[in-house]
Structure formats: structure tokens, C-alpha cells
Amino acid sequence: MTTMSLSPDVAALGWPSRYPELFADLTDAQARSVHNAIANGVLEGWEPTRADVAEQCDAAAGRIGIEEIVSRARGGAAARGHAS
């Protein structure tokens, strides 16, 4: 894993500053995209966990694909007792 250094303006955003280790290998564009996606979800009532943020970072970095994201989402919904 190559560790990149985020620009100061991106590193200061809420989610990258909260979990810098999760954002360490993302580009500025990827980190900003993840931050914005999470921030939008929070506005809709989502309360992301560290694991949720890690999953978003993994998706942005290309470490997991859409099939894995859908599988995890279905597994989470089943665990919470929601139909998938």
C-alpha cells in the first residue's frame, strides 16, 4: 500500500480528519468524494461507523467492487432484521 499525503484543505475535511489512517492512501479527489458521500448520507440521517467509513474508502480506492458492496449491504440489512 502506497501512503499518499492529502493536501491540507482535503485533510481538514471532517471525515478525513476524523479517520486519517483510512484516507491515507487515497488521492485528494478520492478523499473528497468519500467525504462528500458520507456527509450527504449523514444529512439523510445515516450515522456511519468507522467500518462504514473504511468500506467507503475501500470502494473509492478500488479495493472492493460493486458485488462486494452489495453483498455487505445485504448482510448488514439482514443483521438488522430488514428484508434485502
Side-chain angles (χ1 to χ4, degrees):
M1 166 171 53
T2 301
T3 300
M4 304 182 97
S5 179
L6 297 175
S7 65
D9 64 318
V10 174
L13 293 172
W15 295 102
S17 67
R18 189 171 192 178
Y19 299 111
E21 71 283 3
L22 299 179
F23 287 81
D25 63 338
L26 300 181
T27 65
D28 278 359
Q30 290 169 327
R32 188 179 300 277
S33 177
V34 170
H35 167 78
N36 289 342
I38 294 169
N40 285 333
V42 168
L43 289 173
E44 296 293 326
W46 183 37
E47 296 178 10
T49 65
R50 184 184 186 286
D52 294 328
V53 176
E55 184 173 80
Q56 293 288 315
C57 289
D58 285 345
R63 290 186 290 266
I64 60 172
I66 189 66
E67 297 84 10
E68 180 65 18
I69 294 167
V70 170
S71 174
R72 290 180 186 186
R74 287 183 175 153
R80 291 186 304 273
H82 300 291
S84 52

